[in-house]
Amino acid sequence: EYFYPRQSRQLGLGHAVLCARPIVGSQPFVVALGDSILGLHTPSKIVERMIEEFERRDVDVVVAFEEVPDKEVVHYGIAHPRGPAGEIFELEDMIEKPSVDEAPSNLAVAARYVFSPAIFEALDHTSPGKAEEIQLTDAIQRVLSAGGKGIGLRLEKGERRFDIGNFRSFFQAFA
Ligand code: G1P
């Protein structure tokens, strides 16, 4: 069975997630962005691992990250890890689509998230940011700065995200 809300105005990714609030209620939930494909050539365990860590560490936010070259940080939400970023790391902050100079790391959001319902409260108070849209990254920032805990998980070695929102990787994904 599928349930879906309709986002009748294009107010951004954060707003789209907020539209799901009546369906999700007060449960933890996963956000998987449909324009990024994982597990295309080999099955991906990333979401399973994220849920395990979410439960084990009792955090509010878990985000999947992929290391990207400098020139690509401007297309993604970027992690500001607390200390050196191993396979799993604590999030100090996040920034949406920074310039290379602003980027605190090369770790880009790989389109999968696990959230506690605290994110809804944060989204309620998040004003439009980059591109005048309500950004999910800004709401995560809000949860973290209010004392919530967030962690990042890197995709496994050799695992790739295909961002089909750009021509090159669209064709790589479906070639
Ligand atoms: C969205 C998010 C961004 C994230 C990306 C992942 O951007 O705002 O933080 O890195 O998805 O694919 P969009 O692809 O909507 O520009």
Side-chain angles (χ1 to χ4, degrees), residues 89-163:
F89 54 92
E90 213 177 308
L91 280 172
E92 169 140 6
D93 201 358
M94 283 188 44
I95 174 165
E96 180 68 5
K97 302 189 176 130
S99 65
V100 183
D101 298 336
E102 289 168 320
S105 76
N106 283 50
L107 293 165
V109 174
R112 302 293 183 269
Y113 310 80
V114 183
F115 291 116
S116 77
I119 196 72
F120 290 133
E121 195 59 34
L123 280 165
D124 260 344
H125 296 98
T126 300
S127 317
K130 280 265 153 75
E132 294 306 310
E133 293 184 347
I134 297 173
Q135 297 292 346
L136 188 55
T137 300
D138 294 349
I140 296 174
Q141 214 168 31
R142 213 182 165 90
V143 169
L144 298 175
S145 63
K149 285 221 164 8
I151 56 168
L153 261 73
R154 288 179 188 252
L155 297 186
E156 266 172 41
K157 274 206 167 48
E159 185 171 5
R160 274 199 66 185
R161 166 261 295 276
F162 291 92
D163 179 353

Side-chain angles (χ1 to χ4, degrees), residues 4 16 24 42 49 68 95 126 128 133 147:
Y4 61 91
V24 173
T42 48
R49 288 171 51 223
V68 297
I95 174 165
T126 300
E133 293 184 347

Side-chain angles (χ1 to χ4, degrees), residues 3 21 29 50 52 67 94 110 124 129 153 164 167 174:
F3 298 90
R21 189 180 203 168
F29 63 104
M50 291 167 76
E52 267 169 33
E67 202 152 338
M94 283 188 44
D124 260 344
L153 261 73
I164 59 171
F167 282 117
F174 297 112

